[in-house]
Amino acid sequence: QVQLVESGGGLVQPGGSLRLSCAASGSMSSIYIMAWYRQAPGKQRELVASITNRGSTNYAESVKGRFTISRDNGKNTVYLQMNGLQPEDTAVYLCYGNLFGINYWGQGTQVTVSS
């Protein structure tokens, strides 16, 4: 059983930055892949970035060069550093983890980019 708790969302102006954190209960080192998804109103949930337990990363084209995903297995935490935020990045950001084939989701944290 894994619980994921996100934090770090908020309101930011266009061009600003935020860092999201996702704290996992238990040992995160066994979780093969962790990821951040986002869901905007009226839109499908989409993958933002993912990272394996070996540190291999993958990004959506729309965030490449602006967002960086990282994980600290010692702190059981995965991060999403978001720079150059734009209004189209506004969404609920959800943390995801897969452990032994079982999907786990956090509750989500709201990110709003507006002037």
Side-chain angles (χ1 to χ4, degrees), residues 12-50:
V12 64
Q13 291 187 341
S17 298
L18 283 174
R19 188 175 83 153
L20 305 183
S21 300
C22 173
S25 63
S27 174
M28 203 178 71
S29 60
S30 298
I31 301 176
Y32 171 64
I33 192 163
M34 295 200 72
W36 288 95
Y37 283 75
R38 67 186 180 187
Q39 188 160 20
K43 294 188 176 181
Q44 287 191 331
R45 187 173 295 184
E46 64 172 349
L47 175 67
V48 177
S50 64

Side-chain angles (χ1 to χ4, degrees), residues 13-114:
Q13 291 187 341
S17 298
L18 283 174
R19 188 175 83 153
L20 305 183
S21 300
C22 173
S25 63
S27 174
M28 203 178 71
S29 60
S30 298
I31 301 176
Y32 171 64
I33 192 163
M34 295 200 72
W36 288 95
Y37 283 75
R38 67 186 180 187
Q39 188 160 20
K43 294 188 176 181
Q44 287 191 331
R45 187 173 295 184
E46 64 172 349
L47 175 67
V48 177
S50 64
I51 185 167
T52 70
N53 58 357
R54 294 190 175 186
S56 295
T57 58
N58 181 52
Y59 294 92
E61 285 295 326
S62 60
V63 307
K64 279 183 180 178
R66 299 188 297 126
F67 292 10
T68 303
I69 190 171
S70 60
R71 65 192 285 172
D72 186 333
N73 289 338
K75 294 183 177 180
N76 291 339
T77 302
V78 63
Y79 304 96
L80 184 68
Q81 177 66 44
M82 305 185 294
N83 299 326
L85 284 161
Q86 300 300 319
E88 53 265 34
D89 295 315
T90 295
V92 174
Y93 284 71
L94 301 110
C95 182
Y96 164 87
N98 183 283
L99 177 63
F100 304 132
I102 299 174
N103 297 325
Y104 296 93
W105 293 93
Q107 296 275 12
T109 184
Q110 176 71 44
V111 171
T112 303
V113 185
S114 175

